[in-house]
Amino acid sequence: MNEKQDDIRVVVVDDHLVVREGLRMMLEIAGEGFTLVGDAADGVAALCVIEELQPDVVLMDLRMPGMDGLEAITQIRERWPHIAIVILTTYNEDNLMLRGLRAGACGYLLKDTDRETLFHAIRAAARGDLLLQPEIMARILARTTDAPHSTPSRPQAEELTERECEVLEAVARGERSKEIASRLGISLRTVGSHLTSIYSKLGVDSRASAVATGIERGLLSR
């Protein structure tokens, strides 16, 4: 694939060659807008590829030999926080999604996702948006409604205001700041202030981590 100046540069990390090649074909079929600049079969190799190629978006499998996807996500976020990471996996496991979001991934997609959803996720990740499949979020929220919430390893978070909860729920739905401001009838600056307060109260530094922590602590409703 010939790279164009405005293309979103993508790296795929998966231990199965057929998955890497399949994603390459899907991105080539897209025609324009994406360039698969590299791939890797494990977390260690991924760090080398990413350091050299500096992609915009990384599609990251979670279950791999050696360094797994969660550890790789953590290291990528520490070294290159500007690079967006979307978890791409066959494992429909809620705890992995939450751990991936807390580690710094901005989205979570299953490998059987259709092409258009995948393309939308890559574009959203490149913009810095949080991207979750609605059915996954609905299931997570449904389960947490009846489950006890405890986080013994972290101090008790300061209580969120009603408006902050509304903003957090909007973030969990994947709404951007402009959309949140329009729907709630507040300014973009006010949305930013609410997000800053939410991050401070939850002890997090990103939208993804805020959503993951909100789910774990039962702050998000169906």
Side-chain angles (χ1 to χ4, degrees), residues 159-179:
E159 185 175 355
L160 300 185
T161 66
E162 182 177 351
R163 178 64 88 187
E164 287 167 350
C165 286
E166 290 178 333
V167 171
L168 182 58
E169 288 177 352
V171 169
R173 290 192 296 270
E175 293 183 18
R176 304 174 71 183
S177 293
K178 186 175 181 180
E179 295 168 329

Side-chain angles (χ1 to χ4, degrees), residues 21 41 58 63 70 124 166 178 209-210:
E21 289 301 315
V58 176
R63 304 270 191 174
L70 290 172
E166 290 178 333
K178 186 175 181 180
S209 295

Side-chain angles (χ1 to χ4, degrees), residues 44-168:
V44 173
L47 296 179
C48 295
V49 170
I50 292 166
E51 181 174 27
E52 177 184 356
L53 300 175
Q54 291 294 298
D56 302 304
V57 177
V58 176
L59 302 180
M60 178 72 69
D61 190 20
L62 292 178
R63 304 270 191 174
M64 297 180 292
M67 181 187 293
D68 65 15
L70 290 172
E71 177 60 27
I73 291 170
T74 299
Q75 294 205 27
I76 292 167
R77 293 296 296 165
E78 289 176 352
R79 300 186 194 186
W80 310 288
H82 61 284
I83 295 177
I85 306 166
V86 177
I87 297 170
L88 189 65
T89 180
T90 57
Y91 295 87
N92 195 352
E93 297 180 10
D94 300 342
N95 67 317
L96 286 180
M97 186 198 78
L98 295 178
R99 291 170 64 191
L101 292 177
R102 285 197 61 82
C106 64
Y108 183 102
L109 292 170
L110 301 181
K111 290 181 183 178
D112 60 1
T113 296
D114 62 75
R115 272 192 336 215
E116 290 307 313
T117 301
L118 174 64
F119 298 159
H120 173 73
I122 294 173
R123 294 187 187 102
R127 291 195 304 264
D129 293 347
L130 178 66
L131 197 290
L132 297 171
Q133 287 180 303
E135 63 270 21
I136 294 176
M137 180 56 68
R139 189 187 66 254
I140 293 286
L141 296 181
R143 289 186 179 180
T144 57
T145 298
D146 301 319
H149 309 285
S150 62
T151 52
S153 61
R154 292 188 291 274
Q156 180 65 36
E158 185 179 348
E159 185 175 355
L160 300 185
T161 66
E162 182 177 351
R163 178 64 88 187
E164 287 167 350
C165 286
E166 290 178 333
V167 171
L168 182 58

Side-chain angles (χ1 to χ4, degrees), residues 190-212:
T190 301
V191 173
S193 295
H194 285 314
L195 287 171
T196 298
S197 178
I198 290 168
Y199 293 172
S200 176
K201 289 179 178 181
L202 298 183
V204 300
D205 60 4
S206 71
R207 291 186 176 217
S209 295
V211 171

